[in-house]
Amino acid sequence: EVCSSEVLDKISKLRIEKIQIWLQSISIEVNKETKRWFNKKRFEETLWKLENLWINISLDLIMWLPWEWLKWFLKTFNYAVSLNPKGIYINTLFLNPWTELYAKQKEYWIETKKGNTTKLLFHVKSVKCSKDFSEKDFIVARKYVNYYIEKIKSIDFVLR
């Protein structure tokens, strides 16, 4: 979230053209429960510094995070759009075996799609719904995002 001037100096010397940043969620509750933090002012300052280096910025959001209701996902999406990044990538939640979410999926009421594990170097479960973000919410969110995809041509949108 915060780039020191030393890190920015190294980035500028590497002549990086694009950086993908995991925004994930602006929900205080989600960030608290997933042991992340989000400081809007610092985040925007970092984006501004990167943009001044002529770096294209893409933001990643995640759907179906536990404790994130449809309302919060849409707030995060609208915030991401307001930053006018080069791209916004929307990912559905996948459970990696070494994470706390994977270990506590029953406690968090996370349902995964049957027979839909991705074999990479490990088994990753594709999430179907959580207690706070239903399949119906997912459909509403996709319709909302698709509306923006049609309207805003300056941002590359990807739904995964």
Side-chain angles (χ1 to χ4, degrees):
E1 183 172 292
V2 179
C3 281
S4 66
S5 36
E6 181 182 311
V7 170
L8 288 169
D9 185 50
K10 288 179 181 179
I11 288 172
S12 68
K13 289 176 183 171
L14 293 172
R15 302 191 192 277
I16 293 172
E17 294 179 12
K18 180 181 177 183
I19 291 182
Q20 200 164 330
I21 300 172
W22 284 87
L23 174 58
Q24 296 186 0
S25 176
I26 62 171
S27 165
I28 294 166
E29 187 69 19
V30 169
N31 287 311
K32 177 183 159 199
E33 294 294 337
T34 55
K35 297 173 181 65
R36 294 186 177 100
W37 57 278
F38 176 76
N39 181 306
K40 184 177 177 181
K41 182 180 177 190
R42 287 185 185 174
F43 185 80
E44 291 174 7
E45 286 173 358
T46 299
L47 292 183
W48 181 80
K49 290 173 185 176
L50 292 169
E51 286 173 345
N52 283 332
L53 293 173
W54 298 98
I55 296 173
N56 290 318
I57 296 167
S58 295
L59 301 175
D60 281 2
L61 310 180
I62 298 179
M63 262 196 239
W64 281 330
L65 284 167
W67 313 279
E68 182 159 66
W69 303 301
L70 176 62
K71 172 185 90 169
W72 273 108
F73 171 77
L74 297 178
K75 282 184 177 189
T76 300
F77 178 79
N78 289 334
Y79 175 68
V81 169
S82 77
L83 297 171
N84 198 32
K86 176 69 178 144
I88 296 177
Y89 301 107
I90 301 168
N91 304 283
T92 55
L93 178 64
F94 283 85
L95 298 179
N96 297 318
W98 60 85
T99 64
E100 183 178 345
L101 285 179
Y102 189 93
K104 294 184 174 183
Q105 59 188 291
K106 287 183 181 170
E107 179 183 330
Y108 299 144
W109 301 0
I110 296 172
E111 289 182 41
T112 55
K113 297 177 183 175
K114 293 193 187 307
N116 191 357
T117 37
T118 305
K119 274 191 175 180
L120 298 170
L121 300 174
F122 46 81
H123 290 284
V124 178
K125 291 187 176 182
S126 177
V127 171
K128 178 180 169 190
C129 64
S130 68
K131 69 176 181 171
D132 302 310
F133 206 110
S134 69
E135 289 179 271
K136 183 179 176 183
D137 290 339
F138 178 77
I139 292 167
V140 170
R142 285 198 67 117
K143 285 181 181 177
Y144 189 86
V145 168
N146 284 330
Y147 171 80
Y148 273 95
I149 289 172
E150 294 301 317
K151 295 288 181 192
I152 301 175
K153 300 300 181 190
S154 62
I155 300 174
D156 297 326
F157 292 96
V158 177
L159 284 102
R160 299 180 197 168

